[in-house]
Amino acid sequence: MVITMTGKNRKLDIDVSNVSSNPSLPADYLEESDEVEEEGDEWSETWIANEIEKRKEQNRDIAIGIVAEDAERGVGKSIFALLLALKSDENGFTEEKVGLTGDKILELLHVKDGVDYGSAVIADEIHRIADSRRATSSVNVQLTQAMAMARFRESYLIYTLPMWNMVESRVRSQTAILIVCSKDQIGQARVYEIRTDDLDGGDIMTKYRETVNFPNLEDNEIYGRMEEMKAEQFDEVVSEHLDDGKSEEQEEYEDAKAEAVQKAIELKGDNPDMGSRRIANHEEMPKNPKTGKKFGKSAVHSWLSEAGFYDD
């Protein structure tokens, strides 16, 4: 089905015939598309451009996920990510704001020492570090924690992956916009608004907004460097996933520590006057599996300091 929108003596045809036929987007996340008024096909007149601009005016952060229809390769996910970064970054987007590893992305999103306020960050191929099959891994927990704190830097996180359900659910729940790149019409993508139902178990739903065309940026210098960086990182990332050399006990400890870090920051954020000792002894804080006791005050103090809190 094709919807024709008019406005300011201009006309735009939007094809929504296959909005809900994409395995990259789980069926239970889909909602029937509504007719959305559009006034033209210029970037500044698109829904996504206006949504990003609205967030800027409100001093709010935003997270945008980009996937491929049927998980196809070579459909322009990284190109669209770069386009969004170039359009949204208030300080000028550079290759230094691209993250391909967990450490790099966490560094860029750090609440105190991360990118400048109003900057865009690209997490290319995020599923390699935020795999939904390891929801409790330390990187996953730290990444969702960093996304939650990104609002203090008013940053714009743009991440790519083949299929949306390949990334951890807490990352999805903090995502505001989902983009599905077409496999049949390269350079075209469907845009969905993401909504989380906080009153009904946190279910994630999508609302179709528009179909947009985007240019080929393969000749862009930053895109070329992104491809080089991915090639440089690929062997290292694969090796790390195949054999990280850690025992089950060590992984259990790191997962518990990551969970404790996230909980400590949540408690401090909700109760700014709460000190390290009270947080360390809080009933919701997990235990250190090595000792069977809760993590101590000094550890909590260090975590809060690293996260940018001025703790007592």
Side-chain angles (χ1 to χ4, degrees):
M1 179 177 66
V2 175
I3 299 175
T4 301
M5 304 299 172
T6 60
K8 293 185 180 179
N9 299 319
R10 304 172 71 176
K11 182 172 73 172
L12 173 65
D13 292 333
I14 302 177
D15 183 4
V16 296
S17 57
N18 60 348
V19 167
S20 61
S21 61
N22 176 27
S24 295
L25 198 62
D28 55 337
Y29 290 157
L30 289 169
E31 176 183 288
E32 279 191 30
S33 60
D34 295 327
E35 296 189 3
V36 181
E37 289 194 11
E38 294 287 347
E39 297 182 349
D41 55 0
E42 297 296 330
W43 172 256
S44 62
E45 297 175 333
T46 61
W47 176 86
I48 187 172
N50 281 280
E51 181 65 15
I52 293 173
E53 191 59 34
K54 181 178 73 175
R55 295 261 182 157
K56 288 183 180 181
E57 293 173 356
Q58 297 172 342
N59 297 322
R60 297 167 60 198
D61 68 302
I62 190 169
I64 301 173
I66 304 177
V67 301
E69 184 177 15
D70 292 340
E72 288 285 339
R73 296 170 58 95
V75 296
K77 300 189 301 293
S78 297
I79 289 177
F80 204 150
L82 177 57
L83 172 67
L84 290 175
L86 293 171
K87 294 286 188 182
S88 62
D89 196 309
E90 299 172 24
N91 306 294
F93 187 76
T94 63
E95 66 182 63
E96 286 76 19
K97 298 176 185 178
V98 177
L100 298 176
T101 65
D103 288 343
K104 178 63 174 179
I105 295 171
L106 293 174
E107 173 190 326
L108 293 170
L109 295 177
H110 193 279
V111 68
K112 185 168 66 173
D113 303 317
V115 292
D116 293 333
Y117 287 83
S119 290
V121 171
I122 292 180
D124 211 4
E125 307 290 350
I126 198 174
H127 57 290
R128 294 180 180 175
I129 59 171
D131 194 330
S132 61
R133 294 170 299 179
R134 297 193 63 202
T136 60
S137 72
S138 58
V139 172
N140 271 338
V141 175
Q142 290 178 58
L143 178 59
T144 55
Q145 160 197 313
M147 290 177 67
M149 301 299 290
R151 66 182 184 275
F152 294 109
R153 301 200 71 81
E154 299 163 18
S155 57
Y156 314 112
L157 174 63
I158 305 160
Y159 64 85
T160 70
L161 69 165
M163 298 174 64
W164 206 36
N165 58 11
M166 291 176 69
V167 75
E168 208 273 317
S169 62
R170 286 169 296 191
V171 174
R172 296 198 300 265
S173 68
Q174 295 185 70
T175 300
I177 297 174
L178 178 68
I179 294 165
V180 182
C181 294
S182 172
K183 66 175 182 178
D184 297 321
Q185 300 185 58
I186 306 301
Q188 186 175 97
R190 299 193 299 277
V191 179
Y192 298 85
E193 180 181 10
I194 304 300
R195 296 176 292 174
T196 302
D197 188 349
D198 296 324
L199 301 177
D200 190 18
D203 290 340
I204 301 173
M205 300 175 292
T206 65
K207 182 180 182 67
Y208 172 80
R209 283 298 186 179
E210 63 188 354
T211 294
V212 298
N213 296 315
F214 57 95
N216 187 344
L217 299 180
E218 289 184 347
D219 293 332
N220 182 280
E221 184 177 344
I222 299 178
Y223 178 77
R225 181 59 188 139
M226 286 171 62
E227 292 298 292
E228 292 174 3
M229 291 163 63
K230 279 195 281 190
E232 292 167 2
Q233 289 288 340
F234 182 74
D235 289 340
E236 180 180 339
V237 172
V238 170
S239 232
E240 181 180 339
H241 276 266
L242 289 177
D243 181 15
D244 58 15
K246 296 177 183 176
S247 65
E248 289 185 10
E249 291 78 9
Q250 182 63 20
E251 287 194 354
E252 182 183 4
Y253 167 77
E254 291 187 4
D255 290 347
K257 178 183 174 182
E259 184 181 352
V261 171
Q262 183 179 26
K263 178 54 67 175
I265 290 176
E266 288 177 359
L267 290 170
K268 186 67 174 179
D270 294 338
N271 307 276
D273 295 331
M274 184 180 288
S276 298
R277 185 181 301 278
R278 286 181 60 197
I279 291 176
N281 294 323
H282 196 279
E283 61 181 6
E284 295 183 13
M285 289 292 289
K287 293 182 178 180
N288 181 339
K290 290 184 177 181
T291 64
K293 300 178 180 179
K294 293 184 178 181
F295 292 89
K297 172 189 172 183
S298 59
V300 172
H301 178 81
S302 174
W303 301 336
L304 295 176
S305 297
E306 290 177 4
F309 288 101
Y310 295 95
D311 188 42
D312 57 14

